Amino acid sequence: MKILLVKLSSLGDVVHTLPVVQDILAAHPGAQIDWVVEKSFAPLLMPLLGTGLRRVIPCEIRRWRKSFWTAATRAEWCAFKQELQAEAYDAVIDLQGLTKSAVVARLARLSASGRRYALANQTEGSGYEAPTRWLADVAIPIQPHIHAVQRSRELCARALGYTLPPALDYGLKAALAQEGRASSAPETIAFVHGTSRADKQWPLENWVSLGRQLNALGYHIALPHGNAEELVVSQLLAAALDGKNPGTQAVVWPRLPLDALTRELAPCAGVIGVDSGLSHIAVALDLPHVQIYNFDTAWRTGPAGAVQAGHEGGRQISVYAQPTPSVRAVWDAWLSCQSAVADPGTAL
């Protein structure tokens, strides 16, 4: 069975879709799975090549639509269509629910018995555009109140006719374990302070206070960044933390492609971060993780199966408060994560 998944963006949405690959392979071990994704997010999928995915097909629709009239864009678009149509698929599944993903799914070539599948309706908090169901052969209704991970899993299960396995597996942890390489120190905790929306950020002074508490326990702090603005924040944090506790340090990581950044995160002792794509990668790696929310949306995008702060037993916890969670709330959540790691029998 040849299957094409269409999930183009954003980073968090791509991460939330990863479990469908393992679900499909559990139900159809011989399936050959390809994935169309925006080029900037393609590196995240590369570790899965050979361990889940057969082919990653990058596109640049975000850029192309800004210069669709140029000869260069037309040439790139034609090359993309040629690569997309190199195979005939038994199932093409639009997991995005937008016009751009519907067009890509429609362009894909089907086998004699192949069909295109898509969402029939919008779910709470997600984007949705009607062409996704108009251009599909089969539009599948999904309950409106559903976690982003579960939405994709249910859509694929119903499209391909299998029962969802009870275990949630993103595939990344096992893929990286096969590579057997790690460079980050195991006593490192990564602070994911960067996010595409300013109203999701956590105050700088909170990061400093939290970092000093973690330093006092002997942890090093790693500070990734994705752009110039985030680099400035990382440098400010490093300056505020470095050398304040003997034997600890704060390290600003260089800007890395997603596959390299994922490999750096994998051996860390844990991650504390705001609602962002990088935090969702930490979830996919099954790291101890506290995810900080200024909005009550963790039920939809937070760690799937995680507990809310104030409850015991989870190695991944989402913390929500307005205008923003306190340092104490995040600290207590981190300690709860560590308790779950120390006693796996209490973890969800």
Side-chain angles (χ1 to χ4, degrees), residues 38-301:
E38 279 280 344
K39 184 178 180 179
S40 58
F41 305 126
L44 175 68
L45 303 180
M46 294 307 177
L48 297 179
L49 288 173
T51 63
L53 292 176
R54 180 186 61 164
R55 196 163 59 121
V56 176
I57 305 173
C59 65
E60 294 189 84
I61 293 176
R62 287 177 168 180
R63 181 173 64 83
W64 291 336
R65 64 188 178 189
K66 296 177 182 177
S67 59
F68 63 88
W69 62 88
T70 67
T73 294
R74 290 199 301 271
E76 290 175 11
W77 174 253
C78 288
F80 163 68
K81 285 198 298 181
Q82 184 176 5
E83 185 176 7
L84 177 66
Q85 295 171 349
E87 293 282 356
Y89 294 100
D90 302 301
V92 176
I93 308 175
D94 175 6
L95 293 155
Q96 190 109 37
L98 299 177
T99 300
K100 62 181 180 180
S101 57
V103 169
V104 169
R106 191 67 185 181
L107 285 173
R109 190 159 60 91
L110 296 178
S111 65
S113 59
R115 307 184 85 182
R116 297 179 181 86
Y117 301 88
L119 291 160
N121 59 285
Q122 185 174 21
T123 58
E124 289 181 39
S126 67
Y128 185 81
E129 295 170 349
T132 193
R133 62 176 180 269
W134 298 341
L135 298 179
D137 299 310
V138 180
I140 299 172
I142 299 291
Q143 60 176 311
H145 189 82
I146 190 170
H147 192 281
V149 171
Q150 196 66 10
R151 179 181 70 167
S152 294
R153 296 183 75 202
E154 287 194 11
L155 177 59
C156 285
R158 293 176 61 185
L160 301 178
Y162 59 81
T163 300
L164 281 176
L168 177 62
D169 183 2
Y170 289 82
L172 272 183
K173 185 177 181 180
L176 294 179
Q178 288 187 18
E179 295 181 354
R181 55 182 179 181
S183 58
S184 297
E187 67 274 11
T188 296
I189 296 175
F191 277 4
V192 178
H193 58 79
T195 175
S196 59
R197 285 175 45 182
D199 57 359
K200 290 184 177 182
Q201 293 174 354
W202 205 42
L204 180 65
E205 60 270 20
N206 288 6
W207 287 113
V208 172
S209 177
L210 181 66
R212 288 174 177 169
Q213 289 179 263
L214 290 167
N215 285 163
L217 294 181
Y219 288 110
H220 303 302
I221 304 300
L223 299 162
H225 62 92
N227 55 46
E229 292 77 12
E230 292 175 12
L231 173 59
V232 170
V233 175
S234 290
Q235 291 170 336
L236 288 171
L237 281 170
L241 295 174
D242 206 16
K244 298 300 186 294
N245 289 86
T248 65
Q249 59 179 332
V251 178
V252 178
W253 282 351
R255 189 172 178 181
L256 298 167
L258 285 174
D259 51 346
L261 185 53
T262 300
R263 292 184 181 98
E264 287 295 318
L265 281 177
C268 287
V271 175
I272 300 173
V274 294
D275 175 19
S276 70
L278 193 53
S279 280
H280 299 310
I281 291 175
V283 174
L285 291 170
D286 194 33
L287 292 169
H289 179 44
V290 178
Q291 202 163 105
I292 300 167
Y293 280 84
N294 300 337
F295 300 92
D296 190 14
T297 54
W299 68 268
R300 180 173 59 84
T301 61

